[in-house]
Amino acid sequence: MSKQSLAQMLKQAKPFLFLILQQVGYAGMSIISKFALNQGMSQHVLVVYRHAIAAAVTAPFAIVLERKTRPKMTFSIFAKIMLLALLEPVMDQNLYYTGMKFTTATFATAMCNVLPAFALIMAWIFRLEKVNIRKLPSQAKLIGTVVTVGGAMSMTLYNGPILNLPWTNQSTHHPESMIAKNNQVSAKGALMITAGCLCWSSFIILQAITLKSYPAELSLTAWMCLMGAVQGSVVALALEWGNPAAWSICSGSMILAALYSGIFRSGFAYYIQGLVMKEKGPVFVAAFNPVGLVIVVILGSFLLSEIMYLGRIIGAIIIIVGLYLVLWGKSKDERQSESSEKVSEPSTDENMTEKNETTKNPNRELVVTIKEDQETNQFEGTKHNMI
């Protein structure tokens, strides 16, 4: 294998590797944050600490690495940044963490898989994604979107029998009244997480739009995290008013949750998301959520001894099938667009060649005419001298 072909393969695989790495970071954040919330940490305060840390980590890199390429800040761009900070760091994260408190890390991550459905619809509305109902790839994207939402709803409405796994046996014996109460709380948490996903998908679409006028991923990440920390502080002060103990960090898990979610989930993830989004679009980024679900299901069961239901496993499988239908349709659209560009290139070259030939031929005729006139004049001059 030549170096050129290897470099081409790495270039094509880079978006996939980046998003898988991003989902690993998401999975770790869900487990660590759930553990800290179980110990009594305020979800509203966690949002503030998380984005303050993310801003402190990303700002130096943005100042140094993008000092020559960073566009000028305008009022329009700053307004978009403020709205981005409100949608994802403030609204989505507060809703997501509150919903996670009422449910489990696995359930919260699974519910976030409705994100591609919202993202596809919004990208279609704002003309960031092409959808032609008559073509198979677009049909696959639409069917996959419906299947994804159906899988998420089945996880919410149907639990099924409890799976008696060896490492969760101690936590699976609950009275019927407790299970009914948990189902009611889970429905409340599911609604909050779904509302958070709507904010998250709006954030992804707006980020794609903002990057067109402000193509500086690190600087945009630092600004979003900084404004998110400021706006989140206002929300946390209002919701935790009269409870100063909520701002204290009294365990290592709380410190780890703030550091990990700030560095990996906000700073690192927003930057990667922006890089891939510029190349592949917002729907491609949103379609990788099932990877995080698989990781969280495994880690949540082992580390947190979360109850595993058969209905949630079936719903997760349905979600993954639907999302990869969306991903398949997206890849087919890209191939068709690339092939159409390749087909159009030769015709353009031929037109250019014909134009060059037409421009060259008159010049050649002009040169021949000038040479004939010169020879005629020389002949007449010689004849005149002889006479």
Side-chain angles (χ1 to χ4, degrees):
M1 184 182 293
S2 63
K3 291 183 179 180
Q4 187 175 1
S5 60
L6 181 62
Q8 186 68 20
M9 285 179 61
L10 291 175
K11 183 179 179 181
Q12 292 177 354
K14 187 168 65 174
F16 296 89
L17 295 175
F18 276 174
L19 291 180
I20 290 173
L21 187 61
Q22 180 196 43
Q23 291 301 320
V24 171
Y26 281 2
M29 184 273 300
S30 298
I31 300 298
I32 295 170
S33 299
K34 177 61 177 176
F35 193 73
L37 293 174
N38 288 344
Q39 290 190 336
M41 187 175 190
S42 169
Q43 65 268 32
H44 312 299
V45 174
L46 176 58
V47 170
V48 177
Y49 288 158
R50 163 182 169 173
H51 292 98
I53 291 170
V57 171
T58 56
F61 291 98
I63 293 171
V64 174
L65 297 178
E66 294 180 344
R67 63 184 184 279
K68 295 181 180 180
T69 59
R70 183 169 45 251
K72 184 180 179 181
M73 180 63 68
T74 62
F75 177 78
S76 175
I77 294 172
F78 187 74
K80 290 177 183 176
I81 291 173
M82 293 294 289
L83 184 56
L84 283 167
L86 179 64
L87 285 171
E88 175 19 53
V90 179
M91 295 179 65
D92 171 42
Q93 292 307 314
N94 277 286
L95 288 167
Y96 176 80
Y97 282 137
T98 305
M100 184 188 286
K101 258 191 170 181
F102 291 138
T103 57
T104 64
T106 301
F107 185 82
T109 308
M111 282 302 301
C112 286
N113 286 311
V114 299
L115 174 69
F118 294 147
L120 176 61
I121 294 169
M122 289 184 177
W124 188 6
I125 292 172
F126 289 98
R127 297 181 180 181
L128 297 174
E129 186 75 19
K130 295 180 180 179
V131 177
N132 189 347
I133 301 177
R134 296 179 180 179
K135 292 185 178 180
L136 183 61
S138 295
Q139 293 173 1
K141 289 191 289 187
L142 292 174
I143 293 172
T145 299
V146 174
V147 172
T148 299
V149 175
M153 292 303 101
S154 69
M155 290 189 72
T156 307
L157 301 174
Y158 175 71
N159 285 332
I162 295 174
L163 299 179
N164 293 316
L165 301 175
W167 51 88
T168 59
N169 277 340
Q170 295 179 356
S171 58
T172 57
H173 300 288
H174 297 284
E176 293 296 328
S177 59
M178 184 66 69
I179 293 176
K181 183 179 178 181
N182 288 339
N183 287 341
Q184 292 178 357
V185 173
S186 296
K188 184 178 179 181
L191 290 174
M192 289 186 173
I193 295 169
T194 304
C197 287
L198 185 61
C199 297
W200 191 0
S201 58
S202 303
F203 167 81
I204 290 175
I205 300 301
L206 184 57
Q207 186 183 11
I209 295 172
T210 306
L211 283 170
K212 292 181 180 180
S213 56
Y214 194 76
E217 295 85 2
L218 272 173
S219 298
L220 183 61
T221 299
W223 273 112
M224 287 189 301
C225 293
L226 178 60
M227 294 298 102
V230 173
Q231 295 179 23
S233 299
V234 176
V235 174
L237 286 170
L239 295 176
E240 298 292 349
W241 188 261
N243 184 24
W247 295 87
S248 63
I249 298 179
C250 53
S251 69
S253 63
M254 294 181 181
I255 298 174
L256 181 61
L259 289 173
Y260 186 93
S261 60
I263 295 172
F264 290 100
R265 175 59 179 85
S266 291
F268 183 68
Y270 291 165
Y271 174 62
I272 284 181
Q273 186 170 289
L275 285 176
V276 178
M277 196 179 294
K278 286 177 69 174
E279 182 179 350
K280 295 289 187 178
V283 175
F284 184 87
V285 172
F288 268 78
N289 268 23
V291 179
L293 171 63
V294 174
I295 298 170
V296 171
V297 166
I298 297 171
L299 294 180
S301 179
F302 278 100
L303 299 181
L304 300 178
S305 297
E306 292 183 348
I307 301 173
M308 190 68 65
Y309 294 97
L310 179 62
R312 293 183 182 178
I313 296 295
I314 295 173
I317 294 171
I318 294 173
I319 287 171
I320 291 173
V321 171
L323 285 173
Y324 281 97
L325 276 174
V326 175
L327 195 60
W328 179 84
K330 178 71 176 173
S331 64
K332 287 293 182 182
D333 275 346
E334 289 180 354
R335 290 176 185 175
Q336 287 181 1
S337 62
E338 289 175 359
S339 61
S340 63
E341 288 176 0
K342 289 180 181 179
V343 169
S344 62
E345 283 176 1
S347 61
T348 306
D349 294 339
E350 289 174 3
N351 292 334
M352 290 297 294
T353 305
E354 289 177 0
K355 287 180 181 179
N356 291 333
E357 288 178 355
T358 54
T359 53
K360 288 178 181 178
N361 286 336
N363 291 335
R364 288 174 183 173
E365 292 175 0
L366 181 62
V367 171
V368 171
T369 304
I370 292 172
K371 287 182 178 180
E372 288 177 354
D373 292 339
Q374 289 176 350
E375 290 176 357
T376 304
N377 292 332
Q378 289 177 358
F379 176 75
E380 289 179 355
T382 305
K383 183 178 179 181
H384 179 74
N385 291 332
M386 289 175 67
I387 294 171

